[in-house]
């Protein structure tokens, strides 16, 4: 098999003169004053400090390559020859645009150490060939020259390796001389644009002026800064001198202008016709060739696989030559290395249930198993961009066997016992995380209650005794006044109502109040609204209020350990006693207010009833400081289920799968979820423990079986998915304890806290 090495660090510094035949040693000892460099190299090679460059430069020689009909005029072509032949396919290394075989200074000795027959050749017109009798240096001439070199010296199908523009050289050659190429290796391939651009149309004098810029130190230095991922200034300067060394030859400018005026390479139409198996190598941080172009190449190039080299720029064969061994089999180009390598690479296919334009190509690719979801998201975005140039990047989450990936692929596969030897199918979904933080809406005191069930407005309750209606961030349309103490809970009774909406509030003043609001009524300042009905019956602070699904009744829980049920209509009915009160304010009669009493009372809790939920028609759920969650039959008033949590409970909500799961939180940082359909329901089926203080609120998303939001005294709001134990997102909008949270419009998280702010985090994609 043939091994091609790319990875983390160069080999140990090579000796000044590498081994070989006596003829090789005599050649290396000659030229340039006995320094070991060939005499045809520019004298500036003596100033190069990189030991790998110096060693490989001493290996460069010129071989006669016949490209014309006359045998008396061969091109003395520069290359680095192998010291021995191998029984397997030789590896032939090309180079980038306007470069030389010195590009392979770090990787070449490694390939030789692996026992490979390795050639590093200079493409006609670049490098250190003798072009005194200047031939044309267009694409056809470069191709023909390489073929004649292969035909004269290599003579067997080769693994042709092309970095950057060298990838276009390799594809062009493979399509014209398929018998000469066994396989292709394309590194950060530049194959989708003509390198010369409009220079082919320019007069020669202008072309020469443009080419002169290519020789300049500033431009070459900048190219090195772009090409490499975080090398030192001293190395950048040294490698800049290496990259322009061939430009000092007297015929370089003429040869480059000849190529520029020819129009350059255009292999876009050839890519889909390539028959050879191909390996595409991509540096993770390439600033020259976009990942989008690499993914497009992978999708269009038949029989190709792709490898990503982490923490690497445009030239991984210079920057990361060692460490990871990518093996190219004779029968099948695929990963083959040792067990360690197998554990670090995995073949994956990305699939999705999302509709276009979110569907990416499903071809399998090989990626490092060390990648996390952020890198996976980058890959999917670039796959999507490869088919849609206008695509704007989106954050994604990833599912394997129905579970969200919240660690590196390698860690996930090991933890779940999933084999990395088969193609791994990874489903991607939109990431559930806010895209935007709206400006906070300020209150006069702690924001203690919130309801986002109506998409037209947000209802809040505050410690200043007022309820407020917010049509949008910062726009308060209604002020609900009448409570004499802090508002502890609010509820929209008919969230799907028309212009008129009824809402309820609970307060520390031991009452509940009902309000009618005209949401569509235009207003330039908050309208002051008084309750049409006051509900009295609790003997202590009322902590929670919830509406029946049809809106006919509400229930409430409080510090008196009871749950009361109330009628919401304005008509006198049996069991709902009321009186009409009229007061005079400034000699004007005030609107009448009804006073109602509880229809029934549910007794059983022994401490404060902190939260109630009436999302099921004939069933009420309650949570209490007595550590229990109870389920009540409304008709009989009986307690049908009692879950002991072991902690004081502050909140609960019903939702998830079939609207059957109970989520609760309280006096520790843990959110617990119970499934009452299963036997032994006192044991939670899920527990989330990323908060660091009491949990004050939890709320299921009404369109998802998996997602819920939580709030805590630690000042954080967290988004959760039952398919992973880690939070999907942590929202740090508040500067103090968060007291309440809810969903709004299906794609926003709303929360209130002790910093007196209503915060809105929008753009949350829940599927």
């Amino acid at each position: 098999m043939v091994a091609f090495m790319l990875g983390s660090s160069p080999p140990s510094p090579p000796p000044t003169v590498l081994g070989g035949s006596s003829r090789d040693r005599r050649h290396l000892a000659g030229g340039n004053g006995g320094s070991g460099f060939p005499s045809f190299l520019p004298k500036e090679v003596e100033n190069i400090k990189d030991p790998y460059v110096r060693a490989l430069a001493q290996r460069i020689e010129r071989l006669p390559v016949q490209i014309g009909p006359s045998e008396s005029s061969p091109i003395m072509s520069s290359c680095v020859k192998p010291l021995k032949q191998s029984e397997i396919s030789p590896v032939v290394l090309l180079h980038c645009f306007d470069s030389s075989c010195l590009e392979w200074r770090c990787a070449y000795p490694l390939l030789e150490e692996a026992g490979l027959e390795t050639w590093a050749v200079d493409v006609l017109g670049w490098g250190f060939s003798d072009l005194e009798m200047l031939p044309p240096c267009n694409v056809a001439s470069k191709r023909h020259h390489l073929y004649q070199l292969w035909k004269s010296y290599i003579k067997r199908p080769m693994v042709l390796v092309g970095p950057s523009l060298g990838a276009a050289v390799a594809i062009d050659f493979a399509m014209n001389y398929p018998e000469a190429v066994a396989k292709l290796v394309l590194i950060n391939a530049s194959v989708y644009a003509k390198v010369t651009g409009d220079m082919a149309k320019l007069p020669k004098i202008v072309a020469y002026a443009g080419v002169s810029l290519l020789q300049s130190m500033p431009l070459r230095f900048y190219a090195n800064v772009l090409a490499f991922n975080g090398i030192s200034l001293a190395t950048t300067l040294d490698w800049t001198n290496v990259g322009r060394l061939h430009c000092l030859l007297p015929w370089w400018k003429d040869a480059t202008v000849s190529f520029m005026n020819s129009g350059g390479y255009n292999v876009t139409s050839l890519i889909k016709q390539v028959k050879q198996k191909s390996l595409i190598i991509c540096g993770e941080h390439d600033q020259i060739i976009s990942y989008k172009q690499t993914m497009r190449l992978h999708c269009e190039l038949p029989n190709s696989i792709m490898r990503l080299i982490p923490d690497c720029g445009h030239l991984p064969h210079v920057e990361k030559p060692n460490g990871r061994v990518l093996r190219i089999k004779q029968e099948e180009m695929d990963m083959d290395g040792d067990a360690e390598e197998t554990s670090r690479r995995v073949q994956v296919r990305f699939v999705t249930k999302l509709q276009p334009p979110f569907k990416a190509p499903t071809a399998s690719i090989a990626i490092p198993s060390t990648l996390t979801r952020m890198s996976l998201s980058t890959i999917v975005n670039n796959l999507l961009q490869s088919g849609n140039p206008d695509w704007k990047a989106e954050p994604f989450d990833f599912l394997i066997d129905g579970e969200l990936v919240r660690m590196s692929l390698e860690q996930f596969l090991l933890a779940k016992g999933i084999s990395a030897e088969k193609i791994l199918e990874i489903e991607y979904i939109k990431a559930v995380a806010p895209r935007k933080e709206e400006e906070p809406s300020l209150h006069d005191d702690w924001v203690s209650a919130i309801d986002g069930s109506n998409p037209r407005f947000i209802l809040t309750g505050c410690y200043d005794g007022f309820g407020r209606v917010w049509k949008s961030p910062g726009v308060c349309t209604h002020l609900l006044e009448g409570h004499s103490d802090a508002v502890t809970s609010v509820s929209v009774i008919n969230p799907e109502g028309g212009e008129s909406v009824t809402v309820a509030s609970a307060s520390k003043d031991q009452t509940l109040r009902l309000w009618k609001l005209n949401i569509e009524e235009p207003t330039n300042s908050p309208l002051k609204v008084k309750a049409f009905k006051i509900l009295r019956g609790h003997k202590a602070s009322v902590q929670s209020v919830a509406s029946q699904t049809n809106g006919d009744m509400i229930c409430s829980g409080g510090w008196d350990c009871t749950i009361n049920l109330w009628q919401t209509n304005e008509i006198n009915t049996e069991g709902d006693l009321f009186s009409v009160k009229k007061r005079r304010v400034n000699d004007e009669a005030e609107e009448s207010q009804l006073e109602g009493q509880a229809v029934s009372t549910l007794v059983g809790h022994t401490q404060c009833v902190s939260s109630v939920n009436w999302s099921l028609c004939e069933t009420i759920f309650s949570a209490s400081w007595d550590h229990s969650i109870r389920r009540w039959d409304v008709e009989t008033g009986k307690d049908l289920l009692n879950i002991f949590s072991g902690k004081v409970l502050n909140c609960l909500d019903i939702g998830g799968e079939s609207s059957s799961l109970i989520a609760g939180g309280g006096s520790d940082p843990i959110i617990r979820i119970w499934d009452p359909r299963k036997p032994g329901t006192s044991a939670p089926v899920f527990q989330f423990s990323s908060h660091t203080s009491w949990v004050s609120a939890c709320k299921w998303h009404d369109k998802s079986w998996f997602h819920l939001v939580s709030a805590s005294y630690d000042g954080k709001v967290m988004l959760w998915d039952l398919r992973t134990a880690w939070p999907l997102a942590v929202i740090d909008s508040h500067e103090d304890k968060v007291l309440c949270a809810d969903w709004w419009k299906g794609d926003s998280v709303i929360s209130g806290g002790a910093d007196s702010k209503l915060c809105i985090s929008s753009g949350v994609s829940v599927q």
Side-chain angles (χ1 to χ4, degrees):
M1 60 183 62
V2 176
F4 186 75
M5 299 188 176
L6 291 176
S8 58
S9 61
S12 301
T16 304
V17 179
L18 301 181
S21 65
S22 58
R23 174 187 175 279
D24 294 324
R25 288 191 290 271
R26 286 195 303 273
H27 171 74
L28 292 172
N32 273 357
S35 65
F37 296 112
S39 58
F40 54 79
L41 292 183
K43 65 181 184 303
E44 286 81 0
V45 70
E46 295 279 4
N47 300 326
I48 301 299
K49 297 180 176 59
D50 191 314
Y52 310 107
V53 177
R54 296 177 67 88
L56 194 63
Q58 293 171 13
R59 294 274 306 271
I60 297 176
E61 55 185 292
R62 285 173 170 173
L63 302 176
V65 175
Q66 192 69 41
I67 63 170
S70 172
E71 294 185 2
S72 61
S73 58
I75 296 292
M76 297 303 295
S77 303
S78 51
C79 66
V80 178
K81 283 175 56 179
L83 298 179
K84 60 181 180 180
Q85 267 198 339
S86 171
E87 295 181 359
I88 60 178
S89 295
V91 177
V92 177
L93 309 173
L94 303 176
H95 54 72
C96 298
F97 167 72
D98 193 22
S99 185
S100 74
C101 58
L102 290 177
E103 218 175 85
W104 293 96
R105 50 195 176 263
C106 296
Y108 190 95
L110 292 172
L111 295 169
E112 279 198 326
E113 287 173 14
L116 302 177
E117 179 184 336
T118 307
W119 294 74
V121 302
D122 284 335
V123 177
L124 180 69
W126 297 313
F128 305 102
S129 299
D130 184 358
L131 303 182
E132 189 170 355
M133 304 297 293
L134 185 71
C137 291
N138 54 31
V139 170
S141 298
K142 291 176 186 292
R143 179 198 310 138
H144 181 61
H145 171 262
L146 180 58
Y147 176 71
Q148 291 298 329
L149 186 148
W150 173 83
K151 183 179 178 181
S152 300
Y153 300 100
I154 302 172
K155 301 179 181 179
R156 289 168 295 145
M158 57 186 170
V159 177
L160 189 57
V161 183
S164 196
L165 183 71
V169 177
I171 289 173
D172 173 80
F173 185 84
M175 287 299 299
N176 284 276
Y177 301 107
E179 71 278 9
V181 180
K183 294 182 177 70
L184 291 171
V185 179
L186 310 176
I187 304 173
N188 290 328
S190 175
V191 293
Y192 287 110
K194 290 184 180 181
V195 70
T196 63
D198 293 330
M199 285 191 69
K201 303 175 184 177
L202 297 176
K204 276 196 173 184
I205 187 170
V206 179
Y208 272 94
V211 164
S212 296
L213 289 175
L214 293 176
Q215 193 178 22
S216 68
M217 273 294 292
L219 185 61
R220 292 271 172 173
F221 182 87
Y222 179 64
N224 272 272
V225 171
L226 288 180
F228 297 106
N229 183 35
I231 60 174
S232 68
L233 176 61
T235 301
T236 302
L237 287 170
D238 196 42
W239 286 2
T240 298
N241 288 322
V242 174
R244 68 189 295 269
L245 193 62
H246 68 285
C247 301
L248 304 178
L249 294 176
W251 45 81
W252 168 81
K253 190 175 293 186
D254 294 329
T256 304
V257 168
S258 174
F259 173 68
M260 291 295 201
N261 283 337
S262 74
Y265 282 89
N266 185 3
V267 299
T268 304
S269 61
L270 303 179
I271 292 171
K272 295 180 180 179
Q273 305 173 45
V274 173
K275 304 298 182 185
Q276 291 86 352
K277 291 181 178 179
S278 304
L279 170 64
I280 301 168
I281 294 175
C282 175
E284 185 180 22
H285 302 299
D286 188 354
Q287 300 182 71
I288 296 175
I289 302 300
S290 71
Y291 198 85
K292 169 184 171 182
Q293 292 185 50
T294 303
M295 293 309 306
R296 176 184 172 187
L297 176 62
H298 178 50
C299 295
E300 293 183 358
L301 189 63
N303 301 315
S304 68
I305 63 172
M306 193 179 97
R307 306 265 198 258
L308 184 69
I309 305 299
D311 302 318
C312 190
H314 187 59
L315 301 176
H317 51 296
V318 182
E319 190 177 352
K320 301 277 187 179
N322 191 20
R324 297 182 184 269
V325 181
L326 309 181
R327 298 194 179 274
I328 308 163
K329 290 185 178 180
Q330 295 290 7
E331 300 82 10
E332 176 186 11
M333 185 174 292
D334 200 356
M335 184 171 305
D336 186 36
D338 52 24
E340 179 186 4
E341 177 62 20
T342 301
S343 70
R344 287 180 295 169
R345 293 282 175 172
V346 61
Q347 289 273 351
V348 304
R349 179 184 294 114
F350 292 101
V351 298
T352 188
K353 296 183 177 105
L354 298 173
Q355 298 302 309
F358 287 91
K359 285 192 177 295
T362 56
S364 65
I365 59 175
I367 61 175
S369 62
T370 54
L371 295 186
T372 60
R373 69 185 185 94
M374 298 301 292
S375 297
L376 294 175
S377 191
T378 300
I379 291 174
V380 169
N381 273 295
N382 283 287
L383 282 169
L384 293 167
Q385 284 179 336
S386 68
N388 179 6
D390 298 325
W391 175 259
K392 293 184 179 179
E394 286 263 352
F396 292 104
D397 264 316
F398 299 88
L399 292 160
I400 298 176
D401 290 345
E403 186 166 346
L404 278 166
V405 177
R406 270 305 190 264
M407 56 189 77
S408 72
L409 277 180
E410 185 172 40
Q411 291 170 323
F412 186 90
L413 297 180
L414 288 172
K416 303 301 175 184
I418 300 174
S419 171
E421 296 179 359
K422 63 179 182 179
I423 295 177
L424 185 65
E425 194 166 273
I426 303 178
E427 180 184 355
Y428 61 94
I429 59 177
K430 290 183 180 180
V432 177
R435 271 71 164 181
K436 183 180 179 182
E437 297 290 333
E438 308 287 352
E439 283 295 318
S441 302
L442 299 179
H443 293 62
D444 293 332
D445 210 331
W446 291 10
V447 181
S448 50
I450 200 164
D451 189 323
S453 58
N454 192 307
R456 293 179 292 168
F457 65 89
I458 299 169
L459 177 63
T460 62
C462 182
Y463 261 56
D464 61 5
F466 292 100
R468 289 173 174 84
V469 174
W470 304 83
K471 197 166 186 178
S472 59
V475 180
C476 180
T477 58
H478 297 77
L479 190 66
L480 313 183
E481 60 179 15
H483 283 297
S484 59
D485 207 337
V487 176
T488 54
S489 181
V490 292
S491 177
V492 179
I493 295 176
N494 55 339
E496 302 302 326
E499 289 186 3
S500 178
V501 176
T502 304
V503 303
S505 61
S507 170
K508 288 180 178 290
D509 65 9
Q510 304 182 19
T511 70
L512 295 101
R513 295 183 183 236
L514 302 180
W515 322 72
K516 282 195 179 297
L517 309 173
N518 187 344
I519 299 303
E520 303 302 327
E521 186 176 0
T523 177
N524 295 323
S525 59
L527 295 174
K528 293 183 179 179
V529 181
K530 292 196 177 295
F532 73 84
K533 193 171 188 179
I534 302 172
L535 306 178
R536 302 184 189 275
H538 281 287
K539 296 179 176 60
S541 171
V542 188
Q543 287 300 107
S544 180
V545 59
S547 171
Q548 190 182 27
T549 51
N550 60 16
D552 291 340
M553 298 183 71
I554 60 172
C555 65
S556 59
W559 274 93
D560 58 5
C561 309
T562 65
I563 300 167
N564 286 335
L565 279 62
W566 315 82
Q567 293 281 0
T568 60
N569 57 17
E570 299 176 64
I571 302 171
N572 183 18
T573 59
E574 185 178 353
D576 185 26
L577 303 178
F578 68 93
S579 61
V580 177
K581 286 195 172 181
K582 290 189 177 180
R583 291 182 294 172
R584 298 190 66 82
V585 179
N586 296 330
D587 294 328
E588 293 184 8
E590 190 182 55
E591 183 180 352
S592 63
Q593 288 181 306
L594 304 176
E595 286 200 2
Q597 295 181 351
V599 175
S600 63
T601 300
L602 307 179
V603 179
H605 284 296
T606 58
Q607 292 195 48
C608 169
V609 179
S610 54
S611 184
V612 290
N613 181 284
W614 203 346
S615 57
L616 301 179
C617 185
E618 297 301 324
T619 304
I620 292 174
F621 288 86
S622 61
S624 170
W625 279 35
D626 65 11
H627 301 184
S628 72
I629 292 174
R630 303 193 183 207
R631 182 174 65 191
W632 306 84
D633 183 281
V634 173
E635 185 175 352
T636 65
K638 290 184 178 180
D639 172 2
L640 302 179
L641 175 70
N642 191 331
I643 299 174
F644 182 74
S645 72
K647 295 291 180 181
V648 164
L649 290 166
N650 293 325
C651 58
L652 92 160
D653 194 38
I654 312 300
E657 183 180 349
S658 301
S659 297
S660 298
L661 302 183
I662 304 170
S667 61
D668 66 1
I670 300 174
I671 301 160
R672 295 173 174 86
I673 297 173
W674 294 268
D675 188 345
R677 300 168 299 177
K678 296 182 178 180
T681 51
S682 61
V685 291
F686 298 98
Q687 295 189 88
F688 300 128
S689 55
S690 292
H691 282 298
T692 58
S693 188
W694 286 29
V695 176
S696 54
C698 58
K699 189 76 172 181
W700 291 98
H701 193 283
D702 61 0
K703 296 291 194 302
S704 172
W705 283 12
F706 305 107
H707 296 95
L708 68 155
V709 63
S710 66
S712 170
Y713 291 172
D714 63 11
K716 301 182 188 305
V717 175
M718 295 189 181
L719 305 183
W720 302 91
D721 189 309
L722 298 188
R723 294 167 291 188
T724 181
W726 289 269
L728 301 178
V730 178
I731 302 172
D732 285 314
S733 302
H734 290 279
E735 300 163 3
D736 205 335
K737 295 188 292 290
V738 185
L739 305 176
C740 52
D742 199 359
W743 299 91
W744 186 44
K745 296 183 178 180
D747 67 349
S748 296
V749 172
I750 54 178
S751 57
D755 56 2
S756 305
K757 293 178 181 177
L758 160 65
C759 293
I760 304 174
S761 302
S762 58
V764 183
S765 298
V766 176
Q767 300 159 323

